[in-house]
C-alpha cells in the first residue's frame, strides 16, 4: 500500500481514510486522534477523541467538560485497531502526555511525531525513536543554526542573574503548557528551593502537572503580593505578559524569555528581552536529523516550520522527502495570547 493511501493532508489536517480518523485536525471532525495538548493541535468540537489521559485532561482544563462528544484514553505502547489500520502511541518528549502516533496498514508503518524533542525533560516521558517506513517530522527549528545546547546551563545563567541582582525581580516568559513547568523543574534540579511565583494564567495547568506526580516545589501566585516582597524572586509568566503593564507590580524586573528562538539575538532584542534563555521543547537541527536516522525511515514528510533545509538534508542522504503543506499550526515557542480575564491575574 502506498503511504499516501494511508495518510493524506487535507484541509482539516492529516486524514486517514482507511481508518476513518484525522490526526490533530484543525477543523471539527467525526473522529480525532490528538498528539498533545497545545491548543493548535488539540481543538474542541470533535466527535470522538482518542489521546493520552494527560492530553484529554488538558483539553478538559482548557475547553470544559463538553470539549468532545466522547473520549478514549490510550497509554504509550498500547495498540488499537481502527478500520483497516492499527494505531500505537509512543512518547514524544515534548510536553506531559505528548505522543507520536504510529499508523500501520498491512506492511507499511507511518509515524506522525506531532511536536517532539529528544532532549531530557524532567516533566515528561522521554522521546522514543520508533522504526517506521515513513516518518512525519516537525521542523520548527529545521535549520543548522539551531543548536539548543544544555538547558541546565541556561537555568544556571538565570540563577547567576538572581544572585547578582538581589533587589530586582526576575520575570521569565515561558509558554504556559510545558515550558513553564520544565523551567521550574530545571531550577529545582539546580538546588533552587525558594518559592517560585506564577502568573495566574499558568496556575491551573501547573497544578495539573503536580497532580500527575511532577514535583515542582513550593509555588505561589503573584496576585496579592507586595511589590517589595518580590525583590529577589523568580516569576514565570506567559511571554506576552512580560511586556505589558502587568510587569509594573515587580521591582525593577529583569525580563527573561525561555525559547529556542533566543538563539537568534535579534529576536531577543526585538522583544526587549534582557536575559535570553535558549530552552526549547522542540528538537534542534541535530535532534531532528539524528531522529530521522534513528527511525530508519526511507521516506520523510516535513511539516510545521522550516521544511526546505530538512527536505534537502534528507534528499542528500538518499531519502525520499517532501514538505507537507499543513496549515493551522502555530508556534507555541514564540508567543501566547493571554485571555483578557487572565491578564490581571
Ligand atoms: Zn506543541
Ligand atoms: Zn506544534
Amino acid at each position: 500500500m502506498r503511504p499516501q493511501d494511508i495518510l493524506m493532508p487535507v484541509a482539516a489536517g492529516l486524514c486517514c481514510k482507511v481508518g476513518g480518523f484525522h490526526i490533530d485536525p484543525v477543523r471539527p471532525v467525526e473522529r480525532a486522534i490528538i498528539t498533545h495538548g497545545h491548543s493548535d493541535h488539540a481543538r474542541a468540537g470533535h466527535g470522538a477523541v482518542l489521546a493520552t489521559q494527560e492530553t484529554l485532561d488538558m483539553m478538559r482544563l482548557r475547553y470544559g467538560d463538553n470539549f468532545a462528544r466522547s473520549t478514549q484514553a490510550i497509554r504509550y505502547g498500547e495498540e488499537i485497531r481502527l478500520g483497516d489500520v492499527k494505531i500505537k502511541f509512543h512518547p514524544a518528549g515534548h510536553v506531559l502526555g505528548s505522543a507520536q502516533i504510529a499508523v500501520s496498514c498491512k506492511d507499511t508503518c507511518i509515524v506522525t511525531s506531532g511536536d517532539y524533542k529528544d532532549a531530557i525533560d524532567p516533566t515528561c516521558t522521554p522521546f522514543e525513536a520508533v522504526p517506521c517506513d515513513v516518518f512525519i517530522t516537525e521542523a520548527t527549528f529545521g535549520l543548522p543554526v539551531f543548536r539548543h545546547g544544555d538547558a541546565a546551563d541556561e537555568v544556571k545563567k538565570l540563577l547567576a542573574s538572581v544572585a547578582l541582582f538581589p533587589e530586582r525581580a526576575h520575570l521569565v516568559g515561558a509558554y504556559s503548557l510545558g515550558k513553564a513547568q520544565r523551567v521550574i523543574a530545571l531550577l529545582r534540579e539546580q538546588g533552587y528551593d525558594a518559592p517560585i511565583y506564577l502568573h495566574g494564567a499558568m496556575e491551573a495547568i501547573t497544578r495539573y502537572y503536580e497532580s500527575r506526580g511532577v514535583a515542582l516545589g513550593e509555588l505561589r501566585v503573584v496576585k496579592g503580593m507586595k511589590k517589595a516582597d518580590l525583590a529577589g524572586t523568580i516569576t514565570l509568566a506567559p511571554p506576552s505578559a512580560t511586556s505589558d503593564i502587568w510587569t509594573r507590580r515587580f521591582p525593577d524586573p529583569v525580563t527573561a524569555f525561555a525559547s529556542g528562538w533566543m538563539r537568534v539575538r535579534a529576536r531577543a532584542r526585538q522583544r526587549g528581552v534582557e536575559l535570553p534563555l535558549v530552552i526549547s521543547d522542540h528538537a534542534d537541527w541535530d535532534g531532528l536529523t539524528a531522529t530521522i536516522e534513528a527511525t530508519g525511515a526511507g521516506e520523510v514528510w516535513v511539516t510545521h516550520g522550516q521544511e526546505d533545509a530538512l527536505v534537502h538534508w534528507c534528499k542528500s542522504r538518499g531519502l525520499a522527502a517532501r514538505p507537507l503543506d499543513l496549515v493551522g499550526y502555530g508556534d507555541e515557542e514564540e508567543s501566547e495570547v493571554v485571555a483578557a480575564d487572565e491578564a490581571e491575574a
Side-chain angles (χ1 to χ4, degrees):
M1 205 166 188
R2 295 182 314 163
Q4 56 269 40
D5 296 329
I6 301 172
L7 273 179
M8 210 177 65
V10 298
L14 262 183
C15 174
C16 177
K17 231 178 182 167
V18 279
F21 61 84
H22 291 74
I23 296 177
D24 291 352
V26 295
R27 298 179 184 175
V29 299
E30 231 3 79
R31 178 179 280 276
I33 299 185
I34 311 282
T35 59
H36 67 286
H38 282 146
S39 57
D40 49 336
H41 293 258
R43 295 175 194 248
H46 303 306
V49 171
L50 177 70
T52 62
Q53 187 62 55
E54 290 86 352
T55 297
L56 293 174
D57 290 341
M58 289 169 186
M59 292 176 81
R60 199 166 286 118
L61 268 182
R62 183 179 301 117
Y63 303 123
D65 284 337
N66 299 319
F67 69 90
R69 210 169 49 241
S70 67
T71 60
Q72 183 183 348
I74 183 170
R75 285 186 304 274
Y76 296 135
E78 194 181 337
E79 187 173 79
I80 64 164
R81 179 169 275 284
L82 284 175
D84 289 335
V85 304
K86 280 185 292 192
I87 308 291
K88 201 169 179 179
F89 274 48
H90 301 270
H94 176 55
V95 295
L96 183 65
S98 65
Q100 309 174 76
I101 296 159
V103 179
S104 305
C105 187
K106 302 203 169 77
D107 49 8
T108 303
C109 176
I110 306 180
V111 169
T112 304
S113 64
D115 293 340
Y116 69 96
K117 71 170 176 293
D118 54 343
I120 294 167
D121 178 343
T123 67
C124 64
T125 309
F127 176 86
E128 178 188 302
V130 183
C132 56
D133 302 294
V134 180
F135 184 54
I136 304 179
T137 183
E138 61 138 320
T140 305
F141 293 104
L143 285 174
V145 297
F146 290 113
R147 294 199 155 88
H148 299 328
D150 188 349
D153 291 339
E154 301 300 293
V155 165
K156 284 179 196 162
K157 267 189 229 165
L158 171 60
L159 290 173
S161 177
V162 172
L164 193 62
F165 302 113
E167 72 293 350
R168 300 177 72 183
H170 280 69
L171 261 183
V172 184
Y175 197 80
S176 295
L177 199 178
K179 185 68 62 65
Q181 296 76 27
R182 185 176 174 212
V183 169
I184 295 168
L186 287 166
L187 283 163
R188 298 310 188 198
E189 279 187 349
Q190 291 303 317
Y192 184 77
D193 56 7
I196 292 175
Y197 291 82
L198 299 176
H199 185 284
M202 43 178 61
E203 191 187 9
I205 184 67
T206 305
R207 296 293 177 201
Y208 175 72
Y209 264 69
E210 290 185 302
S211 79
R212 299 302 290 191
V214 179
L216 298 174
E218 189 184 346
L219 304 173
R220 294 181 187 168
V221 177
V222 169
K223 198 172 183 172
M225 288 293 298
K226 288 202 195 83
K227 192 169 185 170
D229 292 341
L230 289 166
T233 63
I234 299 175
T235 296
L236 276 290
S240 60
T242 62
S243 57
D244 70 21
I245 54 165
W246 182 77
T247 62
R248 287 187 199 159
R249 70 187 66 199
F250 296 92
D252 191 17
V254 175
T255 304
F257 185 27
S259 164
W261 295 113
M262 291 299 100
R263 178 66 66 211
V264 185
R265 294 243 160 245
R267 287 238 195 182
R269 262 199 311 274
Q270 214 173 50
R271 298 185 68 110
V273 175
E274 205 172 329
L275 184 63
L277 304 171
V278 185
I279 302 177
S280 177
D281 284 336
H282 296 268
D284 64 5
W285 176 257
D286 292 334
L288 293 168
T289 54
T291 299
I292 290 168
E293 283 184 328
T295 64
E299 186 168 341
V300 180
W301 299 348
V302 185
T303 175
H304 233 88
Q306 329 234 18
E307 290 94 346
D308 296 352
L310 206 53
V311 166
H312 179 78
W313 181 89
C314 290
K315 286 181 174 166
S316 75
R317 295 294 172 115
L319 306 174
R322 65 177 174 104
L324 262 197
D325 296 312
L326 290 173
V327 291
Y329 300 96
D331 171 8
E332 78 276 350
E333 290 263 336
E334 178 58 7
S335 64
E336 178 179 28
V337 176
V338 179
D341 58 332
E342 291 174 329
E344 267 309 294

